Amino acid sequence: MYKKGIEDMKKLLVLLMSVLCVLSLCACSNNSSSGSDSTPADSGNPSAMKIGGSGPLTGGAAIYGIDVRNAAQLAVDEINAAEGYDFFELKFEDDEADPEKSPAAYGVLKDWGMQVSLFTVTSGAGAAVAPDYDADYIFAITPSGSNTALVYSDSTNYKTNFQVCFTDPNQGTGSADYISGHALGSKVAVIYRNDDAYSTSIYETFMAEAAVKGLDVVYEGTFIESDTDFSTQLQAAEAAGADVVFLPIYYAPAAQILTQANNIGYAPVFFGVDGMDGILGLEGFDVALAEGVYLLTPFAADATDDATVHFVTAFEAAYGSTPTQFAADAYDTVYAIYQAAKTAGVNGDSDPTAITDAMIAQFTSMTFEGLTGTATWAENGEVSKSPKAVIITDGVYVSAE
């Protein structure tokens, strides 16, 4: 009986070893068929091209970064589904819109193996890493960083760096042209943030074009980032008789200005730029105070063309909110990269230098039709695209044309 028990134990051990061997072979087989990303090595498909990017996912400007990340991911998912494999892979880091933190985000993305970049969401953070992209020869195209410092400085043109949103100079000029051409008022006040490159750049080009158009600018007021009381500026604008107030600023201080203007009974026409996009989603803000506000933006979510309807519907289904202009520009950016990559025949397995060469060649020669308009690019990375105006009506953006 004892001997039979020993024999039975041996048989059981042999059976267990056989099972373990089979499982080990299966595991080895599975490991050998997987590449470094989600595309199987034996599928015949190239590796996913790695797209990096950074923006504020936390902090006061988070609405911008979250919209850019979500729209970019939506575009990546659509493209991958259409291709039948992972053509792109996206990694997005939080830089808090801080020039001191964007270099760390850039380092994480570079170590990950980023091959193409969505650059940064905000201009200040982008200016801090613009030289790095150029020095490391990684193609970078920002959906929303509108300051020209991202694509060139006084002494250097960053060959690898491009923009999708229209630049600050274009916004300043376009705003003056629109106010003048549509006779929104007879006297204009400007309130801008003088410690912010985005705001001051738009202000300067606005003032230059205002002089050309003969706009009567009766008051110029400034503030800095930490300011929350705008009563002095608003009272001065009202006393000067301004019936239009131009706000080349972001949505958070704009919301405070609208609220405080309402408190003193001052009701001019307020005219903003793309940085004000997002004001309707600002927590605690009474959207009724934004009624009649104009924004210079290339995208209106209520547009009825097929492309916009598809994008808005898909974005709302995926993320539960209406996309801003920042989201639309990010969606366009990924599809523009896709157009360039397909035309040039580069993919995730291509040499990094060849990818950057191909992107530069394509973007400086192609025309792209997107949600935010028809775009072409100059050799210095600036986009040529016409700004459009929307007006806030009943809590939504409506084309002002």
Side-chain angles (χ1 to χ4, degrees):
M1 179 69 70
Y2 178 80
K3 183 175 181 180
K4 183 177 184 301
I6 293 294
E7 292 297 321
D8 289 341
M9 182 68 73
K10 286 181 179 180
K11 290 178 181 179
L12 178 60
L13 288 173
V14 169
L15 178 62
L16 288 172
M17 290 299 293
S18 298
V19 171
L20 288 173
C21 183
V22 170
L23 292 174
S24 176
L25 288 172
C26 290
C28 290
S29 174
N30 286 337
N31 288 336
S32 66
S33 66
S34 296
S36 59
D37 49 55
S38 56
T39 302
D42 62 356
S43 68
N45 296 321
S47 302
M49 183 179 290
K50 293 185 174 183
I51 301 179
S54 74
L57 302 179
T58 56
I63 189 171
Y64 299 138
I66 292 171
D67 255 19
V68 166
R69 179 198 62 188
N70 288 349
Q73 187 63 60
L74 178 63
V76 166
D77 291 344
E78 289 180 353
I79 290 166
N80 290 348
E83 289 286 345
Y85 70 98
D86 286 354
F87 190 89
F88 286 135
E89 181 181 357
L90 176 67
K91 184 175 178 64
F92 202 88
E93 291 292 303
D94 184 7
D95 63 26
E96 299 179 41
D98 188 339
E100 295 185 359
K101 295 182 179 179
S102 55
Y106 173 80
V108 171
L109 294 168
K110 183 181 175 183
D111 290 344
W112 172 65
M114 169 177 61
Q115 296 165 299
V116 176
S117 178
L118 301 181
F119 212 158
T120 63
V121 171
T122 57
S123 293
V129 293
D132 297 323
Y133 278 105
D134 194 52
D136 293 329
Y137 205 61
I138 299 172
F139 181 79
I141 179 163
T142 173
S144 51
S146 54
N147 194 277
T148 55
L150 277 70
V151 292
Y152 58 79
S153 66
D154 292 338
S155 59
T156 305
N157 177 56
Y158 302 125
K159 186 178 181 182
T160 59
N161 300 2
F162 286 70
Q163 293 168 306
V164 165
C165 60
F166 45 83
T167 61
D168 294 346
N170 285 344
Q171 291 200 71
T173 301
S175 296
D177 290 346
Y178 193 94
I179 292 171
S180 172
H182 291 77
L184 296 187
S186 59
K187 295 183 178 181
V188 181
V190 183
I191 301 175
Y192 70 99
R193 187 180 141 193
N194 62 13
D195 64 344
D196 176 46
Y198 167 82
S199 188
T200 55
S201 178
I202 298 175
Y203 157 75
E204 289 167 358
T205 53
F206 174 84
M207 292 300 293
E209 185 67 8
V212 172
K213 295 297 183 182
L215 288 176
D216 186 10
V217 180
V218 296
Y219 172 73
E220 301 167 45
T222 68
F223 67 95
I224 60 175
E225 182 179 15
S226 59
D227 289 341
T228 58
D229 183 358
F230 300 95
S231 58
T232 298
Q233 294 92 328
L234 288 167
Q235 289 167 3
E238 184 178 27
D243 49 8
V244 177
V245 176
F246 178 53
L247 300 175
I249 58 178
Y250 290 116
Y251 67 90
Q256 293 174 320
I257 288 173
L258 293 178
T259 300
Q260 293 172 27
N262 179 69
N263 290 341
I264 65 172
Y266 182 36
V269 172
F270 286 101
F271 195 102
V273 288
D274 65 358
M276 202 186 290
D277 196 4
I279 194 170
L280 297 180
L282 182 61
E283 186 176 355
F285 176 66
D286 181 1
V287 297
L289 299 179
E291 186 74 10
V293 170
Y294 285 82
L295 298 179
L296 203 66
T297 174
F299 172 76
D302 70 321
T304 57
D305 61 282
D306 291 343
T308 299
V309 170
H310 162 77
F311 169 64
V312 172
T313 302
F315 191 94
E316 289 178 342
Y319 305 112
S321 62
T322 300
T324 62
Q325 168 252 315
F326 288 79
D329 271 331
Y331 187 82
D332 277 356
T333 302
V334 173
Y335 270 100
I337 293 170
Y338 178 58
Q339 176 179 312
K342 292 292 285 186
T343 302
V346 293
N347 54 57
D349 291 332
S350 299
D351 177 77
T353 299
I355 291 175
T356 301
D357 285 344
M359 289 292 156
I360 294 171
Q362 288 298 315
F363 273 86
T364 53
S365 61
M366 75 183 195
T367 297
F368 175 74
E369 299 286 346
L371 294 171
T372 59
T374 301
T376 58
W377 286 266
E379 289 189 4
N380 67 1
E382 286 187 280
V383 70
S384 176
K385 188 166 60 174
S386 297
K388 304 173 185 176
V390 298
I391 184 170
I392 297 175
T393 304
D394 296 329
V396 296
Y397 298 144
V398 176
S399 175
E401 303 306 317

